[in-house]
Amino acid sequence: MSVIEKAKSQFLIDLENKYGAHNYHPLPVVLSRGEGVHVWDVDEKKYYDFLSAYSAVNQGHCHPKIVNAMVKQAQTLTLTSRAFYNDQLGPYEEYLTKYFGFDKVLPMNTGAEAVETALKLARKWAYEIKGIAEHEAKIIVCDGNFHGRTTTIISFSNDENARKNFGPYTEGFIKIPYNSIDALEKVLQSTTNIAGFLVEPIQGEAGVYTPDDDYMMLAKELCNKHKVLFIADEIQTGIARTGSLLAVCGNCSCEGHCERQASSYATPDILILGKALSGGAYPVSAVLANDSIMNVIKPGQHGSTFGGNPVAAAVAMAALKVVEEERLAQNARTLGKLFRSKLNEYIKTSSIASLVRGKGLLNAVVINDTEDSDTAWKICLALRDNGLLAKPTHGNIIRFAPPLVMNEEQLLDCVSIITNTLKQFEV
Ligand SMILES: *Cc1c(COP(=O)(O)O)cnc(C)c1O
């Protein structure tokens, strides 16, 4: 970087530092443009994006079909509120529910709002259908979860940084270890008044923890047996990211060929989507459920001014069509296997990287250093210098999640950037 170039990005970083709350710790790179798997910084340096805005940009940056749908709708009608009907919401709701195989959707904007919606829905169902006494409903969650940032959601987080000094906390949650069917069974047997089990099919923020192949299926069966709602938070894992349309169906035998709901997967009672539902163009989230659950919500009991707005509806429909037309689930599955096999080859002889794990194109490399060291951060800075953007997650773990529109040649190029960068850190 020349001195002048450095001055430009530093100026913009300083502005954020001075005028913005310090609630993030970004990697020092200032982006101004994106297309497909690439982003460019203010000095026109080109990078592979290996975060994809936490898997919101599965369809690639500025996908023309999604952008066109957004521009067209933005020029026509942006917001009516739900006080009136609009001509985009109904067709979108029909498309989305058929796409995922549910009776109904409740549209929201952000992921955290959708999780809140699912929690409220599960509680209301518990009181009005299951017959739990008022204020007694409990929801089971997992250690290491990440479901968003509202006061209720952080109430059941284990992340002290996310929780501390934000109390008092919302009650009614029981935490169990992730990926333990025994723990789930024990709590279901020993506790009454349980409304639902909220779980991520892969714990993304925690460091891409991938549970046993049968965990989702067995958890779903246990929930059925105990008349407890199985609530899947697929905000990060869903919409082709892990090599199937939903991560909960990742272990069926269809090899990712199901663009639509498969029969053999652990169908959630409540499905939560966000992020890639809009391809990263606009905040769009959704809660899906069948009538027996969704119909407990009556007018005035839940809502959002922007939820279900015409731009969101048009954008989300375009974004889902791209996933199907471009067979992104299949691509993620194939490239994911290639990525892990190449990384595993490297790791065999590496002292700095100890493990690669993940599914489809949601992967992480565990760095061989103590949790509180800044090695992963330093590696991410070096990756940036070498033209690839990634970010550490909790501990010394680097998540690698490129847009799913990547091709094999690009992926192999990225593998060499990653392994060459790691080599700089070998001792
Ligand atoms: C990102 C994320 C959320 C929160 O979504 P926001 O849009 O940031 O509110 C919730 N759950 C999971 C699994 C996520 O990855």
Side-chain angles (χ1 to χ4, degrees):
M1 255 193 273
S2 75
V3 176
I4 293 173
E5 282 168 348
K6 192 159 190 323
K8 190 168 173 188
S9 48
Q10 193 57 54
F11 173 75
L12 291 161
I13 289 170
D14 290 345
L15 278 184
E16 284 199 31
N17 266 333
K18 176 149 192 231
Y19 296 106
H22 294 181
N23 59 329
Y24 279 90
H25 179 39
L27 205 77
V29 59
V30 183
L31 302 174
S32 61
R33 193 158 64 86
E35 189 187 320
V37 299
H38 291 114
V39 285
W40 286 260
D41 70 13
V42 288
D43 308 307
E44 283 297 313
K45 182 174 156 78
K46 184 179 175 182
Y47 305 89
Y48 284 107
D49 178 2
F50 259 67
L51 184 64
S52 306
Y54 302 102
S55 297
V57 193
N58 288 1
Q59 296 87 335
H61 287 275
C62 297
H63 194 291
K65 286 190 176 162
I66 301 173
V67 171
N68 284 342
M70 182 158 80
V71 170
K72 195 167 149 238
Q73 189 55 44
Q75 289 170 331
T76 312
L77 182 68
T78 57
L79 186 61
T80 58
S81 86
R82 297 287 303 280
F84 311 115
Y85 292 88
N86 72 66
D87 68 352
Q88 298 298 309
L89 182 56
Y92 162 59
E93 289 178 331
E94 181 184 23
Y95 185 78
L96 178 70
T97 51
K98 288 189 173 159
Y99 201 100
F100 290 101
F102 288 86
D103 292 340
K104 280 191 172 52
V105 55
L106 199 158
M108 297 296 279
N109 314 286
T110 65
E113 284 175 318
V115 173
E116 286 278 347
T117 302
L119 297 173
K120 287 173 73 177
L121 183 58
R123 283 179 169 185
K124 206 156 203 309
W125 171 87
Y127 297 126
E128 294 177 10
I129 308 287
K130 186 168 177 175
I132 291 176
E134 211 186 336
H135 302 308
E136 297 297 322
K138 304 265 189 299
I139 290 173
I140 303 169
V141 297
C142 292
D143 288 332
N145 69 74
F146 180 83
H147 297 289
R149 300 294 197 167
T150 65
T151 37
T152 287
I153 294 171
I154 57 116
S155 294
F156 54 80
S157 167
N158 302 90
D159 179 354
E160 264 315 288
N161 209 21
R163 267 173 64 87
K164 197 171 180 219
N165 291 338
F166 292 120
Y169 303 113
T170 306
E171 290 173 38
F173 297 95
I174 301 171
K175 241 181 284 171
I176 60 169
Y178 188 60
N179 193 24
S180 169
I181 282 297
D182 288 349
L184 180 62
E185 187 160 31
K186 212 165 129 203
V187 71
L188 286 170
Q189 276 169 355
S190 63
T191 320
T192 48
N193 302 331
I194 295 183
F197 173 47
L198 171 65
V199 64
E200 299 158 86
I202 292 174
Q203 289 190 327
E205 292 311 300
V208 190
Y209 285 105
T210 310
D212 297 340
D213 282 348
D214 58 0
Y215 179 55
M216 285 293 117
M217 196 69 108
L218 295 175
K220 159 75 181 171
E221 280 172 16
L222 278 178
C223 287
N224 276 355
K225 188 173 147 198
H226 292 269
K227 207 173 180 233
V228 160
L229 299 178
F230 179 62
I231 309 167
D233 179 348
E234 292 248 17
I235 292 170
Q236 186 162 159
T237 53
I239 317 191
R241 170 53 59 189
T242 64
S244 45
L245 187 56
L246 296 175
V248 285
C249 62
N251 297 305
C252 76
S253 53
C254 79
E255 286 289 318
H257 293 295
C258 50
E259 276 91 8
R260 298 290 163 97
Q261 185 204 19
S263 55
S264 57
Y265 76 89
T267 319
D269 297 304
I270 302 180
L271 171 64
I272 311 170
L273 298 173
K275 294 196 168 116
L277 188 50
S278 74
Y282 200 78
V284 187
S285 66
V287 175
L288 291 128
N290 284 339
D291 283 339
S292 60
I293 298 163
M294 197 66 97
N295 284 345
V296 302
I297 301 272
K298 302 281 187 318
Q301 295 175 349
H302 189 60
S304 155
T305 303
F306 281 84
N309 74 74
V311 177
V315 165
M317 201 142 125
L320 289 172
K321 282 185 179 156
V322 167
V323 170
E324 195 172 1
E325 283 167 11
E326 302 190 15
R327 299 173 61 84
L328 296 185
Q330 292 85 338
N331 197 45
R333 189 175 284 221
T334 313
L335 291 190
K337 282 183 186 152
L338 182 62
F339 181 82
R340 286 185 300 278
S341 81
K342 292 283 174 193
L343 263 289
N344 270 322
E345 247 170 65
Y346 171 74
I347 285 168
K348 270 190 223 154
T349 59
S350 171
S351 62
I352 191 71
S354 50
L355 177 73
V356 58
R357 64 169 169 244
K359 207 158 199 186
L361 283 175
L362 181 59
N363 294 291
V365 169
V366 179
I367 300 303
N368 187 17
D369 205 336
T370 54
E371 275 222 2
D372 56 352
S373 86
D374 59 356
T375 310
W377 176 262
K378 285 182 178 150
I379 292 170
C380 287
L381 289 175
L383 284 168
R384 173 202 64 179
D385 294 341
N386 295 334
L388 188 145
L389 297 179
K391 190 107 198 276
T393 62
H394 288 86
N396 247 321
I397 298 169
I398 304 174
R399 171 172 32 197
F400 290 108
L404 310 182
V405 292
M406 183 162 271
N407 63 38
E408 192 176 317
E409 192 190 337
Q410 290 167 330
L411 186 92
L412 292 174
D413 190 24
C414 294
V415 165
S416 60
I417 294 175
I418 292 166
T419 51
N420 286 334
T421 306
L422 287 170
K423 274 178 201 157
Q424 292 173 225
F425 289 82
E426 300 285 353
V427 282

